[in-house]
Amino acid sequence: DVKVTQSSRYLVKRTGEKVFLECVQDMDHENMFWYRQDPGLGLRLIYFSYDVKMKEKGDIPEGYSVSREKKERFSLILESASTNQTSMYLCASSTSGRYTGELFFGEGSRLTVL
Amino acid sequence: DQQVKQNSPSLSVQEGRISILNCDYTNSMFDYFLWYKKYPAEGPTFLISISSIKDKNEDGRFTVFLNKSAKHLSLHIVPSQPGDSAVYFCAASAPYDYKLSFGAGTTVTVRA
């Protein structure tokens, strides 16, 4: 069964802490994405990567960075967490091609910053 | 500015009736459209898609209609079932664009 696995389902962090969210996919997909989901705003793209060590900013990259050292792993880093980063974070992967096509999502990581 | 808009945040429908979810987009470069379904505490899952060369795509109880001139698409669920209660996201992409742009979502509640 194909899978995107996010390391933590629920996290509680304090303002100013460094936060790592890890994501692993087992489908050999080229593309990986980090979205955040907020009520009334839908899914907004933070960063994506189309190849190892490659990354592109999405719509809301401020306050975040990413790392993709291996094809199957894509990490989201909050250098100094703030309360407005409290959200549901969703990792996804897809194959390359004519269309972005179907995204496969992980179960999400609910982050609360106090 | 959101390029994909779902203007109805919620929809309540009786079991067995039709659910119609609407989505509008502003980017004329979009040529591939998808619907995702999300249950609480789970990631979204792909439901159905349509490319701009078609105006309709059907998969079982789910049909997506695309009106390119109006930049509008809709998802029809017939008949609606209690298990269809979820948040539905409309998404779109442009050719060779890596990413999808999502709408804000519509929460569907199917009443018994």
Side-chain angles (χ1 to χ4, degrees):
Chain A
D1 199 17
V2 294
K3 232 174 158 161
V4 177
T5 303
Q6 294 184 228
S7 55
S8 304
R9 294 295 305 273
Y10 301 94
L11 305 93
V12 179
K13 298 292 181 180
R14 298 218 172 265
T15 302
E17 280 193 80
K18 191 168 187 176
V19 182
F20 292 88
L21 299 178
E22 304 284 340
C23 175
V24 177
Q25 52 97 0
D26 64 1
M27 295 167 281
D28 201 35
H29 283 168
E30 292 82 10
N31 306 323
M32 295 189 74
F33 308 81
W34 277 104
Y35 284 88
R36 62 178 280 179
Q37 182 197 355
D38 300 289
L41 297 175
L43 277 67
R44 293 180 293 165
L45 182 64
I46 304 170
Y47 267 96
F48 66 100
S49 168
Y50 53 88
D51 200 353
V52 176
K53 296 193 185 294
M54 305 304 290
K55 59 186 179 185
E56 293 281 344
K57 292 180 180 179
D59 300 317
I60 50 164
E62 296 79 19
Y64 303 95
S65 61
V66 291
S67 172
R68 193 165 180 202
E69 296 296 319
K70 293 185 177 182
K71 188 176 185 180
E72 68 272 16
R73 188 179 297 270
F74 192 35
S75 302
L76 180 69
I77 303 151
L78 288 67
E79 294 288 342
S80 177
S82 63
T83 54
N84 63 12
Q85 293 178 309
T86 292
S87 186
M88 169 69 85
Y89 289 88
L90 293 161
C91 175
S93 69
S94 73
T95 58
S96 289
R98 168 68 175 85
Y99 298 109
T100 297
E102 181 182 345
L103 294 187
F104 293 84
F105 282 89
E107 292 188 314
S109 298
R110 170 73 65 183
L111 172 66
T112 301
V113 183
L114 302 175
Chain B
D1 190 29
Q2 277 199 307
Q3 300 182 73
V4 178
K5 297 181 182 180
Q6 294 175 256
N7 292 320
S8 297
S10 63
L11 172 69
S12 181
V13 64
Q14 193 154 17
E15 183 177 0
R17 306 296 290 266
I18 184 171
S19 295
I20 300 176
L21 291 77
N22 293 302
C23 178
D24 297 294
Y25 60 96
T26 56
N27 187 341
S28 58
M29 294 299 293
F30 287 154
D31 71 343
Y32 190 58
F33 305 90
L34 307 91
W35 286 92
Y36 282 79
K37 177 179 179 179
K38 185 181 184 299
Y39 293 118
E42 294 184 13
T45 55
F46 169 76
L47 191 58
I48 192 169
S49 64
I50 188 167
S51 74
S52 60
I53 61 173
K54 294 184 171 183
D55 55 18
K56 176 183 174 182
N57 190 27
E58 201 169 344
D59 184 1
R61 297 186 296 112
F62 302 91
T63 303
V64 56
F65 297 91
L66 176 62
N67 182 334
K68 290 185 290 293
S69 61
K71 294 193 179 69
H72 177 83
L73 62 155
S74 61
L75 175 69
H76 292 208
I77 307 173
V78 185
S80 300
Q81 298 176 353
D84 296 332
S85 295
V87 180
Y88 290 79
F89 292 100
C90 174
S93 73
Y96 299 106
D97 194 354
Y98 293 104
K99 62 187 192 293
L100 292 180
S101 296
F102 283 84
T106 297
T107 300
V108 172
T109 303
V110 180
R111 310 185 309 272

